[in-house]
Amino acid sequence: MSDQIKFIVEKLNKEPFKKNYNLITFDSLEPMQLLQVLNDVLAEIDPKQVVDIREEMPDQTAKRMLSLLGILKYKPPGNATDMSTFRQGLVIGSKPVIHPVLHWLLQRTNELKKRAYLARFLIKLEVPAEFLQDETVADTNKQYEELMEGFKTLHKECEQLKTSGFSTAEIRRDISAMEEEKDQLIKRVERLKKRVETVQNHQRMLKIARQLRVEKEREEFLAQQKQEQKNQLFHAVQRLQRVQNQLKSMRHAAADAKPESLMKRLEEEIKFNSYMVSEKFPKELDNKKKEMHFLQKVVSEPAMGHSDLLELEAKINEVNTQINQLIEKKMMRNEPIEGKLSLYRQQASIISRKKEAKAEELQEAKEKLSNLEREVSMKATQTREFDGTEVLKGDEFKRYVSKLRSKSTVFKKKHQIIAEFKAEFGLLQRTEELLKQRHENIQHQLQTVEDKKGISGYSYTQEELERVSALKSEVDEVKGRTLDGMSEMVKKLNSLVAEKKSALAPIIKELRQLRQKCQEVRGLREECLQEESRYHYTNCMIKNLEVQLRRATDEMKAYVSSDQQEKRKAIREQYTKNIAEQENLGKKLREKQKTVRESHGPNMKQAKMWRDFEQLMECKKQCFLKQQSQTSIGQVIQEGGEDRLIL
């Protein structure tokens, strides 16, 4: 049980729940809070379940959760008689009932999401037969079934596309490449048209080429048709052989079968079917009726509050105490006959339960066998449709597996060699980068050493000499007439180079020794830096652990202490206080939201009436002002049915 709770807490603390529980806080949740946690997990699986259970009746909550768990194919532990206890525990938020449900849901959340999504479209609505007599209802039901089948096929294709490895980026690249190829082909066709138009009788040649292409396509089609007919003949021969083998096996089985064995097999089947019809099915029907009666009774009763539940628990405890007293009285009487009968009754009940379990196992095994046979036949037909070959069996399958193993070993070896080559290539690249960086550092150090020794520019001089030698070679090639002057220049340069080399020889020896020492010093410095960083990191980790240990000890002291002031300083007490405050605040906000919702409609109506009143008064004002302006201009007098304006 502790492992189960640990798993639940670990999953609830992760995405997308982020509950921030530990074992103590989770175990101390009240029944309503535990039901809300279960509802949150169900809402993650099915978004339609998002609801606050405090605003919902308990019977509606239990009915909604039971329907979803039935869709998700959750099987409660125990037999059918324990279903009533399971439903009752789900209504009252019992931990032994809800913890296994949470463990089962959190183990397979992604699978259950998919199942809940498919259930919205694949759970068939049962229409009574009398309603199907109407043509409109029958047509609508038929369209509904066709749409359901279409959804199944589309969903299968979607899953296959998801698992096929194709991506939108690859498809777009393929489309762009095909468009480029199309443009290239169009350009090529245009070039060929221009080239062909210059040839004489090109129309006749094009017609002949078109006829040749049509005949080649027809030849390919006939060859393909011939190959298909050969394959069909081969499959027909194989099918004939299979049917002949089945006929032989059936004749052999019929020849070996005896009437006694057939009668015995039929008697066993009759006994099994009679047991299922006379004993098992009536019991299951009675249990279903009892469950339905209990559910109807629960639905008909009014909603139960917390006080009602406490009263029921008290009654249950009283009845349990009475039962225990009666059992003790019965044991005190020491009636041996009843003891023997109870022993026999227990044995009979055990045997009947075993019999029911074996019958269920046999029924499940038969169903499983039929499903497997159906799947095998479907797979065989699919393989024949895909490549036209039969499913391998026996020794052929073993040989095929051995070939696959040998090929897989060869593939693994080749893959390992490729990985080694890649690793070596990466190592060589890194070595090249390090050598380049080291060369730059050595050049910089060489310049600093030359500056210190007073021979700065030696390397530059050497480069200049190389450049001059290159110029010399070019001058020798271009200007052959000045060979004597160039030879003298070369001698001078050679002598200058020799003098420089002789002067720099001892310095170069010292520089080599200094380079070796510099490399050693650099290595030691890197080791020193690594050890120093490791030392600082270890000290920081020790300090962090000491701080955490100090906090833990302070928390334990405050939690264990008998002083209330110390307990109030504990982090747990602070968090519980904050949680209580937040719950009170949430309750107040919900009440405020409820009042706002109730007064929203009347307030909006009153505001609209006030705006209409303002608009009416503004209209009256405008009419009054208009009338005043008209009376200031003149006076209208009616005489003899005519209007006259007097200014």
Side-chain angles (χ1 to χ4, degrees):
M1 184 63 72
S2 60
D3 296 334
Q4 189 182 62
I5 296 176
K6 285 181 183 178
F7 177 78
I8 294 170
V9 171
E10 183 180 356
K11 288 292 185 180
L12 290 175
N13 290 335
K14 293 180 180 179
E15 291 285 345
F17 304 105
K18 292 184 179 180
K19 292 294 184 181
N20 197 12
Y21 288 144
N22 55 31
L23 295 176
I24 298 172
T25 56
F26 181 75
D27 191 55
S28 61
L29 290 176
E30 295 182 357
M32 290 294 290
Q33 294 175 344
L34 195 60
L35 277 173
Q36 186 63 50
V37 171
L38 177 59
N39 191 79
D40 293 340
V41 176
L42 292 175
E44 178 63 25
I45 294 171
D46 187 6
K48 292 182 179 179
Q49 306 297 321
V50 178
V51 71
D52 191 354
I53 61 172
R54 289 174 292 187
E55 300 177 357
E56 191 179 26
M57 299 300 291
D59 54 350
Q60 294 178 358
T61 304
K63 186 177 179 181
R64 179 171 52 80
M65 290 183 178
L66 283 171
S67 63
L68 182 59
L69 290 174
I71 290 170
L72 299 178
K73 297 181 180 179
Y74 174 72
K75 295 182 179 179
N79 51 17
T81 57
D82 297 333
M83 284 299 295
S84 60
T85 58
F86 174 75
R87 293 186 181 92
Q88 188 176 3
L90 191 64
V91 171
I92 64 175
S94 177
K95 293 179 183 178
V97 173
I98 295 179
H99 285 177
V101 178
L102 285 173
H103 185 262
W104 186 80
L105 293 173
L106 294 172
Q107 273 184 332
R108 46 184 70 82
T109 306
N110 295 325
E111 178 185 351
L112 296 177
K113 281 183 181 179
K114 183 177 179 182
R115 189 175 294 173
Y117 168 74
L118 293 176
R120 292 165 54 192
F121 305 100
L122 297 182
I123 292 179
K124 189 176 180 181
L125 297 174
E126 296 295 335
V127 181
E130 57 269 17
F131 293 143
L132 291 175
Q133 300 297 326
D134 190 359
E135 294 182 356
T136 307
V137 176
D139 294 337
T140 307
N141 189 29
K142 187 177 180 181
Q143 292 178 3
Y144 168 68
E145 292 177 353
E146 291 176 355
L147 289 173
M148 188 180 290
E149 295 296 329
F151 174 77
K152 289 180 182 179
T153 55
L154 290 174
H155 181 71
K156 287 180 181 178
E157 291 177 0
C158 180
E159 292 295 326
Q160 290 176 0
L161 288 174
K162 285 181 181 179
T163 57
S164 61
F166 292 108
S167 62
T168 56
E170 293 178 355
I171 294 170
R172 286 175 181 171
R173 284 197 296 268
D174 294 338
I175 290 170
S176 60
M178 291 170 70
E179 287 178 352
E180 291 178 358
E181 291 179 359
K182 180 181 176 182
D183 295 335
Q184 292 176 1
L185 289 172
I186 290 170
K187 291 178 181 178
R188 187 176 178 184
V189 169
E190 289 177 354
R191 287 198 300 270
L192 290 173
K193 282 183 178 179
K194 291 178 181 178
R195 191 180 299 174
V196 170
E197 286 176 356
T198 58
V199 180
Q200 294 180 356
N201 297 326
H202 64 277
Q203 293 292 337
R204 184 170 175 273
M205 295 174 68
L206 287 173
K207 185 177 179 181
I208 294 170
R210 193 178 295 111
Q211 291 177 357
L212 178 62
R213 180 174 56 80
V214 171
E215 292 298 329
K216 284 185 177 180
E217 289 178 355
R218 186 181 176 188
E219 184 181 1
E220 291 177 358
F221 175 74
L222 291 173
Q224 186 178 2
Q225 192 174 5
K226 182 179 178 182
Q227 186 64 33
E228 289 178 356
Q229 290 178 358
K230 285 184 179 179
N231 293 330
Q232 290 176 1
L233 179 61
F234 177 72
H235 293 322
V237 171
Q238 286 186 344
R239 198 177 299 114
L240 178 62
Q241 290 177 357
R242 286 198 305 272
V243 172
Q244 288 177 353
N245 292 327
Q246 290 177 1
L247 182 61
K248 287 180 181 178
S249 62
M250 291 175 69
R251 285 178 178 175
H252 183 69
D256 294 337
K258 294 180 180 179
E260 291 81 2
S261 60
L262 292 173
M263 290 295 294
K264 188 176 181 181
R265 194 180 302 117
L266 290 172
E267 287 176 357
E268 289 177 356
E269 290 182 359
I270 290 168
K271 286 180 181 179
F272 175 73
N273 292 327
S274 61
Y275 167 73
M276 294 292 288
V277 172
S278 61
E279 296 183 13
K280 190 173 185 302
F281 288 158
K283 287 182 181 179
E284 291 181 355
L285 184 61
D286 293 335
N287 292 327
K288 294 293 182 183
K289 287 181 179 178
K290 289 178 182 178
E291 290 176 5
M292 187 177 68
H293 179 68
F294 176 74
L295 290 174
Q296 288 176 354
K297 187 177 179 182
V298 170
V299 171
S300 61
E301 290 180 356
M304 298 176 66
H306 188 65
S307 60
D308 298 331
L309 292 175
L310 292 175
E311 187 178 355
L312 285 175
E313 287 180 356
K315 289 181 180 179
I316 290 167
N317 292 327
E318 290 178 1
V319 172
N320 287 329
T321 54
Q322 292 176 3
I323 291 168
N324 292 327
Q325 290 175 2
L326 291 172
I327 290 170
E328 289 177 357
K329 289 179 180 179
K330 186 177 180 181
M331 291 175 66
M332 293 294 292
R333 291 176 185 173
N334 194 9
E335 295 178 357
I337 298 172
E338 290 292 331
K340 291 180 181 179
L341 291 175
S342 63
L343 180 62
Y344 292 143
R345 288 196 191 99
Q346 290 178 359
Q347 290 179 355
S349 62
I350 291 168
I351 291 169
S352 64
R353 283 198 295 271
K354 286 183 179 180
K355 190 175 181 181
E356 290 177 358
K358 293 298 181 183
E360 290 179 356
E361 290 178 0
L362 180 60
Q363 189 68 22
E364 290 177 357
K366 286 184 177 180
E367 292 178 356
K368 190 174 181 181
L369 180 61
S370 62
N371 292 328
L372 290 174
E373 289 177 351
R374 198 181 302 112
E375 288 181 2
V376 167
S377 63
M378 289 172 63
K379 296 294 183 183
T381 54
Q382 287 178 1
T383 52
R384 286 196 295 272
E385 289 176 358
F386 286 152
D387 54 359
T389 58
E390 293 294 327
V391 180
L392 298 177
K393 296 181 181 179
D395 297 333
E396 294 180 356
F397 182 73
K398 291 180 181 179
R399 286 195 293 272
Y400 180 69
V401 170
S402 63
K403 286 182 182 179
L404 282 179
R405 286 176 180 171
S406 61
K407 289 182 180 179
S408 64
T409 53
V410 174
F411 171 74
K412 288 178 181 178
K413 289 180 181 179
K414 299 294 184 183
H415 187 69
Q416 186 177 3
I417 292 169
I418 292 169
E420 291 176 357
F421 283 151
K422 287 181 179 178
E424 189 175 359
F425 178 69
L427 183 63
L428 291 173
Q429 280 186 341
R430 181 61 181 166
T431 306
E432 184 182 4
E433 292 176 358
L434 292 173
L435 290 174
K436 286 181 180 179
Q437 188 177 3
R438 191 177 295 175
H439 176 69
E440 292 176 358
N441 295 330
I442 289 170
Q443 290 292 332
H444 183 68
Q445 291 176 3
L446 180 61
Q447 289 178 3
T448 55
V449 171
E450 288 176 353
D451 293 336
K452 288 181 181 179
K453 297 296 182 179
I455 54 170
S456 61
Y458 171 72
S459 59
Y460 177 72
T461 305
Q462 189 174 1
E463 291 177 358
E464 286 292 326
L465 289 173
E466 291 176 356
R467 188 174 62 82
V468 168
S469 63
L471 290 172
K472 169 183 167 296
S473 62
E474 290 178 0
V475 170
D476 288 336
E477 290 176 358
V478 177
K479 297 181 180 180
R481 292 175 295 176
T482 58
L483 290 174
D484 295 333
M486 295 299 293
S487 62
E488 291 177 1
M489 187 183 293
V490 169
K491 288 179 181 179
K492 289 180 181 180
L493 290 172
N494 288 329
S495 62
L496 182 62
V497 170
E499 290 175 0
K500 292 286 185 181
K501 284 183 178 179
S502 60
L504 292 172
I507 297 171
I508 290 170
K509 289 181 181 179
E510 293 178 0
L511 182 62
R512 288 175 181 171
Q513 295 176 359
L514 290 172
R515 283 178 180 172
Q516 293 178 357
K517 290 181 180 179
C518 181
Q519 290 178 357
E520 293 176 0
V521 170
R522 188 182 294 110
L524 293 172
R525 188 176 295 169
E526 290 178 356
E527 291 180 1
C528 182
L529 289 173
Q530 290 178 359
E531 296 296 331
E532 188 175 357
S533 64
R534 193 179 300 164
Y535 170 73
H536 290 302
Y537 176 74
T538 307
N539 284 333
C540 292
M541 291 296 293
I542 290 169
K543 289 180 180 179
N544 290 329
L545 291 172
E546 288 177 354
V547 170
Q548 293 177 2
L549 182 62
R550 196 180 304 115
R551 288 179 181 174
T553 52
D554 294 338
E555 180 68 18
M556 288 297 295
K557 287 179 181 178
Y559 184 70
V560 176
S561 178
S562 60
D563 191 3
Q564 295 296 328
Q565 296 293 331
E566 291 293 330
K567 278 192 174 182
R568 288 173 185 169
K569 293 180 182 179
I571 297 173
R572 180 182 177 184
E573 296 294 331
Q574 294 176 5
Y575 276 129
T576 53
K577 184 179 178 182
N578 292 332
I579 289 167
E581 291 176 355
Q582 293 296 324
E583 286 180 352
N584 293 327
L585 180 61
K587 189 175 180 181
K588 291 178 181 178
L589 290 174
R590 281 192 295 273
E591 292 176 355
K592 188 175 180 181
Q593 184 183 10
K594 187 176 180 181
T595 55
V596 170
R597 283 179 180 174
E598 291 175 353
S599 61
H600 178 71
N603 290 338
M604 291 298 292
K605 187 176 180 181
Q606 188 174 2
K608 186 177 181 302
M609 292 171 65
W610 182 255
R611 285 195 297 271
D612 294 340
F613 177 72
E614 287 182 347
Q615 189 176 3
L616 181 61
M617 295 303 293
E618 183 68 24
C619 182
K620 287 184 177 182
K621 179 182 175 183
Q622 294 295 330
C623 292
F624 178 74
L625 293 174
K626 189 174 181 182
Q627 187 178 3
Q628 289 290 329
S629 61
Q630 288 178 357
T631 54
S632 62
I633 293 171
Q635 187 175 3
V636 179
I637 299 174
Q638 294 181 355
E639 291 181 356
E642 295 180 354
D643 295 336
R644 289 190 298 168
L645 178 64
I646 300 173
L647 299 175

